[in-house]
């Protein structure tokens, strides 16, 4: 059974263009210093558990009101039961957006093949040489990350790459390297870091809007569909 540790019943922000509900899974294989969901990723999670029965009662009641369901975490692809869980949501007629860190490319391919996801948002933590710095763990396979990137760039379903940009982690040079790595028509979203009491590492900072726009201008050469989260596109 998949542990569900949060439910946002209605959101206009998490699934662009749709009224949606967002489901938060517990646990993650990364420990990103700038993670806002630190309460969800550890082994001793303190957020209240929502039963699957409660979740699907909500989804049944909201049919005709909400259009999509966002699956986030934590890291949803850690769970082998994810395909059957998504299939139950699909039977209710909802579109599904999946947030992932890209560490399970085989499952992404399987979900896409089975038409269980309609949109995938993959986090790009940093340039490849600095990936473990931003993932917060040395136990990450860059080959898996690269495989997920290449799969999404060739898939037929809508997707986006996105990076939470942090002054202490993302230099102009590193962002330029990301642009060269992801080069192409992919949608790429810059999410400015915002501090909160739940961030894993204290003392991190976001960029000014002027600095964000400078990063965006740099990336547009390689990634012409680069956008800053919050701006219209």
């Amino acid at each position: 059974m998949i542990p569900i540790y949060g439910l946002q019943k209605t959101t206009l922000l998490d699934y662009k263009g749709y009224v949606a509900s967002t489901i938060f899974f517990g646990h993650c294989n990364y420990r990103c210093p700038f993670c806002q969901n630190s309460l969800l990723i550890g082994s001793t999670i303190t957020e209240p558990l929502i039963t699957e029965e409660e979740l699907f009662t909500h989804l049944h009641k909201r049919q005709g009101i909400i259009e999509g369901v966002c699956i986030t975490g934590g890291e949803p692809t850690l769970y082998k039961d994810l395909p059957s869980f998504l299939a139950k949501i699909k039977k209710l007629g909802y579109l599904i957006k999946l947030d992932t860190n890209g560490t399970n490319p085989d499952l992404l391919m399987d979900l896409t093949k089975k038409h269980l996801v309609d949109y995938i948002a993959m986090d790009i933590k940093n340039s490849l040489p600095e990936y473990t710095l931003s993932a917060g763990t040395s136990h990450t396979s860059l080959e898996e990350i690269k495989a997920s990137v290449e799969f999404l760039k060739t898939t037929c379903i809508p997707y986006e790459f996105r990076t939470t940009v942090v002054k202490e982690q993302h230099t102009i040079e590193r962002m330029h390297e990301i642009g060269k790595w992801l080069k192409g028509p992919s949608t790429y979203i810059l999410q400015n870091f915002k501090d909160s009491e739940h961030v894993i590492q204290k003392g991190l900072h976001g960029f000014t809007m002027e600095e964000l726009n400078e990063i965006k201008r740099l990336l547009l050469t390689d990634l012409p569909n680069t956008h800053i989260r919050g701006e219209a596109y």
Side-chain angles (χ1 to χ4, degrees), residues 158-176:
Y159 69 93
E160 69 183 48
F161 298 121
R162 61 191 187 186
T163 298
T164 299
V165 286
V166 186
K167 271 197 172 184
E168 289 79 8
Q169 301 247 327
H170 300 96
T171 63
I172 290 293
E173 291 76 19
R174 291 171 185 172
M175 297 306 297
H176 192 198

Side-chain angles (χ1 to χ4, degrees), residues 107-207:
L107 183 54
L108 293 183
M109 295 175 195
D110 185 55
L111 294 176
T112 303
K113 181 179 179 180
K114 293 176 178 176
H115 306 288
L116 293 175
V117 289
D118 301 282
Y119 193 100
I120 295 175
M122 177 179 166
D123 290 320
I124 301 296
K125 300 302 180 180
N126 210 325
S127 61
L128 287 170
E130 303 296 337
Y131 219 86
T132 56
L133 168 71
S134 293
T137 175
S138 58
H139 303 294
T140 188
S141 169
L142 293 182
E143 293 309 310
E144 290 175 344
I145 299 301
K146 290 189 285 187
S148 291
V149 166
E150 291 310 308
F151 167 67
L152 289 180
K153 289 173 73 173
T154 58
T155 188
C156 59
I157 71 167
Y159 69 93
E160 69 183 48
F161 298 121
R162 61 191 187 186
T163 298
T164 299
V165 286
V166 186
K167 271 197 172 184
E168 289 79 8
Q169 301 247 327
H170 300 96
T171 63
I172 290 293
E173 291 76 19
R174 291 171 185 172
M175 297 306 297
H176 192 198
E177 288 177 14
I178 292 174
K180 290 187 290 184
W181 169 28
L182 302 180
K183 185 174 182 176
S186 307
T187 298
Y188 183 56
I189 308 297
L190 299 171
Q191 301 180 148
N192 201 17
F193 170 76
K194 293 184 179 179
D195 199 9
S196 79
E197 61 179 318
H198 299 308
V199 172
I200 291 179
Q201 181 178 322
K202 306 302 179 185
L204 299 177
H205 302 85
F207 289 89

